[in-house]
């Protein structure tokens, strides 16, 4: 019975340092490819950053939504594990447009459509998924958004 309790406490303490992120969709993404480049092939890249801006977890990426256009739907869930001090970190969410040249991805750099951050210190301690709308700023436009839901898995937060 003691060994069973030990296993449970190890699993519980590990859950204390998780962040679950559901990337739902994006809205009003700009067309970085221009009039003749086709629709936006969007994907989302996420990283967890410390106070110095250094990556402590990730990157994690959604699948590419080929010809997804200005309003792609992702509905993909990710789990960041083993976060040492999650309340002091920031989630950085970047939306990119996958580019290829003559059908080869390696010949073209992906276009950054914009990024947003979420201060993890503002999250509540809950197992529930909490919806967040983040404005994707690219330096020119600020009407693009990405919709996510986050959970601290009940292990940390306010």
């Amino acid at each position: 019975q003691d060994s069973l309790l030990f296993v449970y406490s190890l699993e519980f303490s590990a859950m204390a340092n998780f962040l679950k992120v559901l990337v739902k969709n994006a809205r009003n993404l700009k067309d970085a490819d221009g009039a003749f480049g086709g629709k936006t092939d969007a994907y989302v890249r996420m990283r967890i950053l410390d106070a110095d801006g250094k990556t402590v977890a990730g990157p994690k990426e959604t699948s590419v939504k080929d010809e997804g256009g200005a309003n792609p739907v992702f509905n993909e869930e990710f789990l960041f594990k083993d976060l040492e001090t999650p309340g002091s970190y920031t989630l950085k969410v970047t939306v990119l447009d996958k580019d290829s040249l003559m059908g080869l991805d390696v010949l073209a750099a992906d276009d950054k459509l914009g990024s947003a951050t979420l201060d993890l210190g503002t999250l509540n301690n809950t197992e529930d998924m909490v919806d967040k709308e983040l404005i994707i700023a690219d330096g020119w436009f600020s009407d693009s958004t990405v919709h996510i839901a986050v959970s601290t898995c009940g292990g940390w937060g306010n």
Side-chain angles (χ1 to χ4, degrees), residues 127-149:
E127 292 182 23
D128 297 333
M129 296 297 284
V130 178
D131 289 331
K132 299 285 183 182
E133 179 182 70
L134 305 176
I135 296 173
I136 301 299
D138 67 356
W140 296 96
F141 302 99
S142 61
D143 61 343
S144 300
T145 58
V146 65
H147 300 256
I148 64 173

Side-chain angles (χ1 to χ4, degrees), residues 53-70:
K54 293 181 182 157
T55 299
V56 296
K60 294 184 183 282
E61 295 180 350
T62 66
S63 59
V64 175
K65 298 303 172 190
D66 292 321
E67 299 291 311

Side-chain angles (χ1 to χ4, degrees), residues 22 32 44-45 51-52 68 80 97 99-100 111 133-134 141 146 149:
L22 172 64
V44 175
R45 178 183 296 149
D52 296 325
F80 290 94
D97 178 18
D99 282 337
S100 60
D111 296 314
E133 179 182 70
L134 305 176
F141 302 99
V146 65

Side-chain angles (χ1 to χ4, degrees), residues 63-141:
S63 59
V64 175
K65 298 303 172 190
D66 292 321
E67 299 291 311
N71 302 305
V73 175
F74 300 99
N75 288 324
E76 296 179 39
E77 190 172 276
F78 300 89
L79 190 63
F80 290 94
K81 301 177 185 178
D82 303 322
L83 301 174
E84 194 172 317
T85 54
S88 68
Y89 297 151
T90 299
L91 174 67
K92 182 174 184 179
V93 179
T94 304
V95 181
L96 299 110
D97 178 18
K98 184 75 171 173
D99 282 337
S100 60
L101 187 62
M102 298 170 36
L104 298 173
D105 292 340
V106 296
L107 296 181
D110 295 346
D111 296 314
K112 180 179 170 184
L113 300 180
S115 61
T117 57
L118 176 64
D119 179 352
L120 300 185
T122 65
L123 299 180
N124 290 327
N125 183 348
T126 180
E127 292 182 23
D128 297 333
M129 296 297 284
V130 178
D131 289 331
K132 299 285 183 182
E133 179 182 70
L134 305 176
I135 296 173
I136 301 299
D138 67 356
W140 296 96
F141 302 99

Side-chain angles (χ1 to χ4, degrees), residues 18-21 123 126-130 149-154 156:
F18 283 4
L19 176 69
K20 190 186 304 183
V21 180
L123 299 180
T126 180
E127 292 182 23
D128 297 333
M129 296 297 284
V130 178
V150 294
S151 172
T152 64
C153 303
W156 58 275

Side-chain angles (χ1 to χ4, degrees), residues 36-52:
F36 302 104
K39 292 184 178 178
T40 299
D41 305 315
Y43 67 100
V44 175
R45 178 183 296 149
M46 296 175 293
R47 299 176 191 271
I48 306 263
L49 307 176
D50 66 12
D52 296 325

